Amino acid sequence: MLNARGWLFVALGAFTVFLVWVWMRSKNRAPGVPSIFELFLGMATNFFDTLGIGSFAPTTSIFKFRHMVPDEKIPGTLNVGHALPTLLEAFLFIAIVKVDILTLVLLMAASVVGAWFGAGIVASWPRRWVQIGMGIALLTAASLFLMTNLKLLPPGGNALILRDWRLWTGVVGSLFLGALMTLGIGLYGPCMILVSLLGMNPAAAFPIMMGSCAFLMPVASARFIEVGSYSPRVALGLALGGLPGVLLAALIFKNLPVTAVRWLVVVVVIYAAFTMLRSALQRTAAPAEAKLY
């Protein structure tokens, strides 16, 4: 008889089969052979994604720099190409980091619900102000983590379970963060901060955030595949290259001590903060540039 964690693996397997089935029956099921660079890009971006850096922003930057994918097909290519590696990340980290199953399921479910149903409210907010606020908040949190690592503040918790008010605070926080994903606010950095402030081991964020994305991305990918709004060959390269990248990074993560994980959190959060602030500044500059032409 399967336990709760086993049923979670079954659900992830079902979503994996669903994604592969949709992809195989699409009109572009024979997209051509990906180039070496496309495979390497998939490996590199998913390697760092597994370590918490995220894959969408770096991949988008490369797409734009090399003119690999038309702008209108970038979102679909990102979702379709990175979905299978993200599913593998969820399998691995749910197995490696033994987060309490009730805590894990509730926080993942809240993120998914927030992304799907809370977006209508949050998406009406000005994206630039949300990005600025989140960027400042993340920089503040990164500073607190840095002082903790340097033993200037008491260390955070190492729990892998949330109880009572902490659990429901985590659920509400995950619901909110899931909604913010629709504004382009990444889940990884904020999720690390949320679980850490609630007294959990920062490593607990990995199965929570990767599991959430693993359930969201196949459904989104199916829609992109259905309408053909993605680059099939590039997406295939990201997927095939990304799988070994995930395995390599997971092997490294499994052997990292807690202190190293905390330093990794600092790097990830600072990266996320500057990415948000940069996006906010770019959106501010765009109207001024338009007036010049």
Side-chain angles (χ1 to χ4, degrees), residues 11 52 62 83 92 119 125 145-146 170 174 252 269 276:
I62 298 298
L92 293 174
W125 299 351
F145 267 91
L146 182 61
S174 295
I252 294 173
V269 172
M276 290 181 192

Side-chain angles (χ1 to χ4, degrees), residues 148-174:
T148 299
N149 288 347
L150 296 174
K151 303 187 184 303
L152 300 176
L153 290 176
N158 289 308
L160 293 174
I161 183 173
L162 293 175
R163 293 187 176 92
D164 302 324
W165 68 268
R166 294 179 187 271
L167 175 59
W168 297 113
T169 301
V171 169
V172 173
S174 295

Side-chain angles (χ1 to χ4, degrees), residues 93-152:
F93 278 94
I94 290 173
I96 292 172
V97 185
K98 301 296 184 180
V99 177
D100 170 68
I101 190 64
L102 180 62
T103 301
L104 178 63
V105 170
L106 286 180
L107 266 61
M108 286 196 310
S111 295
V112 174
V113 170
W116 283 106
F117 298 105
I121 299 174
V122 178
S124 64
W125 299 351
R127 179 179 302 187
R128 183 168 62 88
W129 289 110
V130 174
Q131 289 172 327
I132 292 173
M134 288 295 295
I136 294 173
L138 288 174
L139 283 177
T140 302
S143 299
L144 294 175
F145 267 91
L146 182 61
M147 289 189 286
T148 299
N149 288 347
L150 296 174
K151 303 187 184 303
L152 300 176

Side-chain angles (χ1 to χ4, degrees), residues 55-72:
S55 59
F56 275 29
T59 308
T60 300
S61 299
I62 298 298
F63 282 174
K64 299 286 285 183
F65 179 74
R66 292 179 60 95
H67 306 287
M68 293 175 63
V69 178
D71 286 353
E72 68 275 11

